[in-house]
Amino acid sequence: MNRRLRAATTILVAALATTGPAHPAVAAGYSAPLTTAVAGLAVAAENRTGYSRDLFPHWIDADGDGCTTRNEVLLAEAVSAPTVTGACTLTGGRWYSYYDDAYWTATGDLDIDHMVPLAEAWDSGARTWSTSRRQAYANDLGDSRALAAVTDNVNQAKSDQDPAGWLPPYAAGTSPSGSPSRSAGGSPSTAPRRAP
């Protein structure tokens, strides 16, 4: 991966890791043009030693409402709202995957993608984080760009690759306002994701 892309990915990881209640002073305490911020970054070799996806506890029910992070994302990004029954079982509903410009009506056809893969976060320093910080990162509902509901096999093709190694097959696949959320008519939604 080229140095600038690695640096930009590191900035994204740092930005996602520092947004939210655990690090508000860090997020609010630095402001600079992107080129200045990138130029000031120390570039170090990535280190995947010891990485395991299991070190990032995910799909938790952070707010105690019975819905895991996975289902919270599905609820927030539904084009047509599903019915929620029992312990947050989702039935019906419709979702748009901007990775491949596809619509889905079965939640099993969707994966929740970490926009910055867990392995990339590990490579870039998450190996030094506490388990609770890695859990917070893996379940980040505070930034609508962090997690996205996308076609399962497309996400599996991405695996843990960063943007230097993989981009969505749908060339126009951009997330409106940084999020793939859509309203019932398929237009971009301005509704915020439900936070934990």
Side-chain angles (χ1 to χ4, degrees):
M1 177 185 327
N2 73 41
R3 293 172 63 93
R4 288 203 185 273
L5 188 53
R6 184 176 312 280
T9 301
T10 302
I11 287 173
L12 182 57
V13 169
L16 290 174
T18 59
T19 56
H23 305 285
V26 175
Y30 180 79
S31 176
L34 180 60
T35 54
T36 302
V38 169
L41 288 174
V43 178
E46 292 183 334
N47 183 354
R48 183 108 3 135
T49 304
Y51 170 73
S52 169
R53 187 174 175 83
D54 294 336
L55 294 170
F56 291 80
H58 51 285
W59 307 161
I60 62 167
D61 178 9
D63 61 4
D65 69 352
C67 293
T68 65
T69 302
R70 174 183 164 73
N71 282 354
E72 297 279 7
V73 172
L74 290 170
L75 286 167
E77 296 186 1
V79 172
S80 299
T83 301
V84 182
T85 59
C88 201
T89 300
L90 306 182
T91 55
R94 187 169 182 239
W95 292 267
Y96 174 73
S97 169
Y98 73 93
Y99 277 11
D100 56 343
D101 195 31
Y103 286 89
W104 299 100
T105 57
T107 60
D109 291 326
L110 296 158
D111 278 354
I112 305 304
D113 183 36
H114 292 89
M115 298 303 290
V116 175
L118 302 178
E120 181 67 25
W122 181 270
D123 294 350
S124 301
R127 66 187 167 282
T128 65
W129 296 352
S130 66
T131 299
S132 63
R133 187 168 178 195
R134 286 192 298 269
Q135 176 177 297
Y137 178 81
N139 294 279
D140 184 5
L141 294 174
D143 185 331
S144 63
R145 299 166 296 182
L147 301 169
V150 297
T151 302
D152 58 356
N153 63 335
V154 176
N155 185 51
Q156 291 158 15
K158 174 190 175 200
S159 186
D160 59 7
Q161 297 178 75
D162 61 31
W166 187 90
L167 292 173
Y170 179 52
T174 57
S175 61
S177 303
S179 169
S181 299
R182 302 265 175 185
S183 65
S187 61
S189 171
T190 56
R193 173 171 290 153
R194 190 166 75 171

PDB file of all heavy atoms in Angstrom, residues 95-110:
ATOM      1  N   TRP A  95     -33.452  -3.515   2.061  1.00  0.00           N
ATOM      2  CA  TRP A  95     -32.185  -2.811   2.251  1.00  0.00           C
ATOM      3  C   TRP A  95     -31.490  -2.614   0.919  1.00  0.00           C
ATOM      4  O   TRP A  95     -31.624  -3.430   0.009  1.00  0.00           O
ATOM      5  CB  TRP A  95     -31.261  -3.600   3.178  1.00  0.00           C
ATOM      6  CG  TRP A  95     -31.785  -3.643   4.566  1.00  0.00           C
ATOM      7  CD1 TRP A  95     -31.471  -2.783   5.583  1.00  0.00           C
ATOM      8  CD2 TRP A  95     -32.710  -4.572   5.115  1.00  0.00           C
ATOM      9  NE1 TRP A  95     -32.158  -3.124   6.718  1.00  0.00           N
ATOM     10  CE2 TRP A  95     -32.934  -4.216   6.457  1.00  0.00           C
ATOM     11  CE3 TRP A  95     -33.406  -5.667   4.597  1.00  0.00           C
ATOM     12  CZ2 TRP A  95     -33.788  -4.908   7.288  1.00  0.00           C
ATOM     13  CZ3 TRP A  95     -34.269  -6.362   5.415  1.00  0.00           C
ATOM     14  CH2 TRP A  95     -34.454  -5.988   6.755  1.00  0.00           C
ATOM     15  N   TYR A  96     -30.722  -1.529   0.842  1.00  0.00           N
ATOM     16  CA  TYR A  96     -29.933  -1.206  -0.333  1.00  0.00           C
ATOM     17  C   TYR A  96     -28.457  -1.367   0.006  1.00  0.00           C
ATOM     18  O   TYR A  96     -27.979  -0.826   1.005  1.00  0.00           O
ATOM     19  CB  TYR A  96     -30.205   0.238  -0.772  1.00  0.00           C
ATOM     20  CG  TYR A  96     -29.322   0.704  -1.911  1.00  0.00           C
ATOM     21  CD1 TYR A  96     -29.540   0.231  -3.203  1.00  0.00           C
ATOM     22  CD2 TYR A  96     -28.286   1.594  -1.700  1.00  0.00           C
ATOM     23  CE1 TYR A  96     -28.736   0.651  -4.255  1.00  0.00           C
ATOM     24  CE2 TYR A  96     -27.480   2.021  -2.752  1.00  0.00           C
ATOM     25  CZ  TYR A  96     -27.712   1.545  -4.019  1.00  0.00           C
ATOM     26  OH  TYR A  96     -26.913   1.955  -5.062  1.00  0.00           O
ATOM     27  N   SER A  97     -27.732  -2.097  -0.835  1.00  0.00           N
ATOM     28  CA  SER A  97     -26.289  -2.260  -0.683  1.00  0.00           C
ATOM     29  C   SER A  97     -25.607  -1.385  -1.720  1.00  0.00           C
ATOM     30  O   SER A  97     -25.628  -1.692  -2.907  1.00  0.00           O
ATOM     31  CB  SER A  97     -25.879  -3.722  -0.883  1.00  0.00           C
ATOM     32  OG  SER A  97     -24.468  -3.820  -0.993  1.00  0.00           O
ATOM     33  N   TYR A  98     -25.007  -0.304  -1.271  1.00  0.00           N
ATOM     34  CA  TYR A  98     -24.364   0.593  -2.228  1.00  0.00           C
ATOM     35  C   TYR A  98     -23.045   0.039  -2.742  1.00  0.00           C
ATOM     36  O   TYR A  98     -22.478   0.568  -3.687  1.00  0.00           O
ATOM     37  CB  TYR A  98     -24.199   2.003  -1.645  1.00  0.00           C
ATOM     38  CG  TYR A  98     -23.142   2.158  -0.590  1.00  0.00           C
ATOM     39  CD1 TYR A  98     -21.852   2.541  -0.925  1.00  0.00           C
ATOM     40  CD2 TYR A  98     -23.443   1.937   0.740  1.00  0.00           C
ATOM     41  CE1 TYR A  98     -20.888   2.693   0.042  1.00  0.00           C
ATOM     42  CE2 TYR A  98     -22.483   2.092   1.716  1.00  0.00           C
ATOM     43  CZ  TYR A  98     -21.204   2.477   1.365  1.00  0.00           C
ATOM     44  OH  TYR A  98     -20.252   2.629   2.332  1.00  0.00           O
ATOM     45  N   TYR A  99     -22.547  -1.053  -2.173  1.00  0.00           N
ATOM     46  CA  TYR A  99     -21.336  -1.688  -2.702  1.00  0.00           C
ATOM     47  C   TYR A  99     -21.571  -2.260  -4.098  1.00  0.00           C
ATOM     48  O   TYR A  99     -20.673  -2.279  -4.925  1.00  0.00           O
ATOM     49  CB  TYR A  99     -20.883  -2.824  -1.790  1.00  0.00           C
ATOM     50  CG  TYR A  99     -20.050  -2.409  -0.608  1.00  0.00           C
ATOM     51  CD1 TYR A  99     -19.890  -1.083  -0.219  1.00  0.00           C
ATOM     52  CD2 TYR A  99     -19.393  -3.370   0.131  1.00  0.00           C
ATOM     53  CE1 TYR A  99     -19.118  -0.730   0.869  1.00  0.00           C
ATOM     54  CE2 TYR A  99     -18.616  -3.026   1.225  1.00  0.00           C
ATOM     55  CZ  TYR A  99     -18.482  -1.709   1.594  1.00  0.00           C
ATOM     56  OH  TYR A  99     -17.716  -1.379   2.669  1.00  0.00           O
ATOM     57  N   ASP A 100     -22.790  -2.779  -4.337  1.00  0.00           N
ATOM     58  CA  ASP A 100     -23.065  -3.425  -5.622  1.00  0.00           C
ATOM     59  C   ASP A 100     -24.409  -3.014  -6.231  1.00  0.00           C
ATOM     60  O   ASP A 100     -24.892  -3.659  -7.148  1.00  0.00           O
ATOM     61  CB  ASP A 100     -22.995  -4.949  -5.478  1.00  0.00           C
ATOM     62  CG  ASP A 100     -23.931  -5.484  -4.408  1.00  0.00           C
ATOM     63  OD1 ASP A 100     -24.408  -4.700  -3.552  1.00  0.00           O
ATOM     64  OD2 ASP A 100     -24.185  -6.704  -4.412  1.00  0.00           O
ATOM     65  N   ASP A 101     -25.014  -1.923  -5.705  1.00  0.00           N
ATOM     66  CA  ASP A 101     -26.257  -1.385  -6.241  1.00  0.00           C
ATOM     67  C   ASP A 101     -27.364  -2.441  -6.247  1.00  0.00           C
ATOM     68  O   ASP A 101     -28.080  -2.598  -7.228  1.00  0.00           O
ATOM     69  CB  ASP A 101     -26.017  -0.832  -7.655  1.00  0.00           C
ATOM     70  CG  ASP A 101     -27.163   0.058  -8.134  1.00  0.00           C
ATOM     71  OD1 ASP A 101     -27.797   0.723  -7.293  1.00  0.00           O
ATOM     72  OD2 ASP A 101     -27.428   0.073  -9.360  1.00  0.00           O
ATOM     73  N   ALA A 102     -27.473  -3.165  -5.133  1.00  0.00           N
ATOM     74  CA  ALA A 102     -28.460  -4.246  -5.042  1.00  0.00           C
ATOM     75  C   ALA A 102     -29.407  -4.003  -3.866  1.00  0.00           C
ATOM     76  O   ALA A 102     -29.027  -3.396  -2.864  1.00  0.00           O
ATOM     77  CB  ALA A 102     -27.757  -5.586  -4.859  1.00  0.00           C
ATOM     78  N   TYR A 103     -30.639  -4.486  -4.023  1.00  0.00           N
ATOM     79  CA  TYR A 103     -31.641  -4.418  -2.955  1.00  0.00           C
ATOM     80  C   TYR A 103     -31.871  -5.822  -2.412  1.00  0.00           C
ATOM     81  O   TYR A 103     -31.851  -6.797  -3.167  1.00  0.00           O
ATOM     82  CB  TYR A 103     -32.958  -3.839  -3.489  1.00  0.00           C
ATOM     83  CG  TYR A 103     -32.885  -2.350  -3.725  1.00  0.00           C
ATOM     84  CD1 TYR A 103     -32.462  -1.850  -4.948  1.00  0.00           C
ATOM     85  CD2 TYR A 103     -33.226  -1.451  -2.721  1.00  0.00           C
ATOM     86  CE1 TYR A 103     -32.386  -0.478  -5.169  1.00  0.00           C
ATOM     87  CE2 TYR A 103     -33.153  -0.078  -2.933  1.00  0.00           C
ATOM     88  CZ  TYR A 103     -32.731   0.396  -4.160  1.00  0.00           C
ATOM     89  OH  TYR A 103     -32.652   1.748  -4.379  1.00  0.00           O
ATOM     90  N   TRP A 104     -32.108  -5.911  -1.107  1.00  0.00           N
ATOM     91  CA  TRP A 104     -32.315  -7.198  -0.442  1.00  0.00           C
ATOM     92  C   TRP A 104     -33.503  -7.119   0.492  1.00  0.00           C
ATOM     93  O   TRP A 104     -33.766  -6.085   1.102  1.00  0.00           O
ATOM     94  CB  TRP A 104     -31.068  -7.602   0.345  1.00  0.00           C
ATOM     95  CG  TRP A 104     -29.881  -7.751  -0.553  1.00  0.00           C
ATOM     96  CD1 TRP A 104     -28.881  -6.844  -0.760  1.00  0.00           C
ATOM     97  CD2 TRP A 104     -29.603  -8.861  -1.404  1.00  0.00           C
ATOM     98  NE1 TRP A 104     -27.993  -7.317  -1.686  1.00  0.00           N
ATOM     99  CE2 TRP A 104     -28.406  -8.555  -2.097  1.00  0.00           C
ATOM    100  CE3 TRP A 104     -30.227 -10.074  -1.651  1.00  0.00           C
ATOM    101  CZ2 TRP A 104     -27.841  -9.425  -3.009  1.00  0.00           C
ATOM    102  CZ3 TRP A 104     -29.667 -10.937  -2.559  1.00  0.00           C
ATOM    103  CH2 TRP A 104     -28.496 -10.618  -3.233  1.00  0.00           C
ATOM    104  N   THR A 105     -34.216  -8.245   0.628  1.00  0.00           N
ATOM    105  CA  THR A 105     -35.344  -8.308   1.557  1.00  0.00           C
ATOM    106  C   THR A 105     -35.109  -9.324   2.675  1.00  0.00           C
ATOM    107  O   THR A 105     -35.925  -9.425   3.581  1.00  0.00           O
ATOM    108  CB  THR A 105     -36.653  -8.663   0.817  1.00  0.00           C
ATOM    109  OG1 THR A 105     -36.471  -9.907   0.124  1.00  0.00           O
ATOM    110  CG2 THR A 105     -37.042  -7.558  -0.162  1.00  0.00           C
ATOM    111  N   ALA A 106     -34.021 -10.047   2.625  1.00  0.00           N
ATOM    112  CA  ALA A 106     -33.686 -11.018   3.673  1.00  0.00           C
ATOM    113  C   ALA A 106     -32.425 -10.548   4.401  1.00  0.00           C
ATOM    114  O   ALA A 106     -31.396 -10.294   3.757  1.00  0.00           O
ATOM    115  CB  ALA A 106     -33.458 -12.403   3.068  1.00  0.00           C
ATOM    116  N   THR A 107     -32.507 -10.440   5.720  1.00  0.00           N
ATOM    117  CA  THR A 107     -31.340  -9.971   6.483  1.00  0.00           C
ATOM    118  C   THR A 107     -30.150 -10.905   6.326  1.00  0.00           C
ATOM    119  O   THR A 107     -29.009 -10.461   6.420  1.00  0.00           O
ATOM    120  CB  THR A 107     -31.678  -9.827   7.978  1.00  0.00           C
ATOM    121  OG1 THR A 107     -32.089 -11.096   8.494  1.00  0.00           O
ATOM    122  CG2 THR A 107     -32.768  -8.784   8.197  1.00  0.00           C
ATOM    123  N   GLY A 108     -30.388 -12.166   6.033  1.00  0.00           N
ATOM    124  CA  GLY A 108     -29.304 -13.119   5.838  1.00  0.00           C
ATOM    125  C   GLY A 108     -28.469 -12.849   4.586  1.00  0.00           C
ATOM    126  O   GLY A 108     -27.377 -13.391   4.446  1.00  0.00           O
ATOM    127  N   ASP A 109     -28.978 -12.026   3.689  1.00  0.00           N
ATOM    128  CA  ASP A 109     -28.231 -11.658   2.481  1.00  0.00           C
ATOM    129  C   ASP A 109     -27.308 -10.470   2.708  1.00  0.00           C
ATOM    130  O   ASP A 109     -26.620 -10.030   1.791  1.00  0.00           O
ATOM    131  CB  ASP A 109     -29.198 -11.335   1.334  1.00  0.00           C
ATOM    132  CG  ASP A 109     -29.935 -12.558   0.827  1.00  0.00           C
ATOM    133  OD1 ASP A 109     -29.338 -13.650   0.841  1.00  0.00           O
ATOM    134  OD2 ASP A 109     -31.106 -12.420   0.432  1.00  0.00           O
ATOM    135  N   LEU A 110     -27.323  -9.949   3.929  1.00  0.00           N
ATOM    136  CA  LEU A 110     -26.535  -8.763   4.250  1.00  0.00           C
ATOM    137  C   LEU A 110     -25.501  -9.055   5.328  1.00  0.00           C
ATOM    138  O   LEU A 110     -25.763  -9.801   6.270  1.00  0.00           O
ATOM    139  CB  LEU A 110     -27.458  -7.647   4.750  1.00  0.00           C
ATOM    140  CG  LEU A 110     -28.458  -7.141   3.724  1.00  0.00           C
ATOM    141  CD1 LEU A 110     -29.627  -6.465   4.411  1.00  0.00           C
ATOM    142  CD2 LEU A 110     -27.781  -6.183   2.760  1.00  0.00           C
TER     143      LEU A 110
END
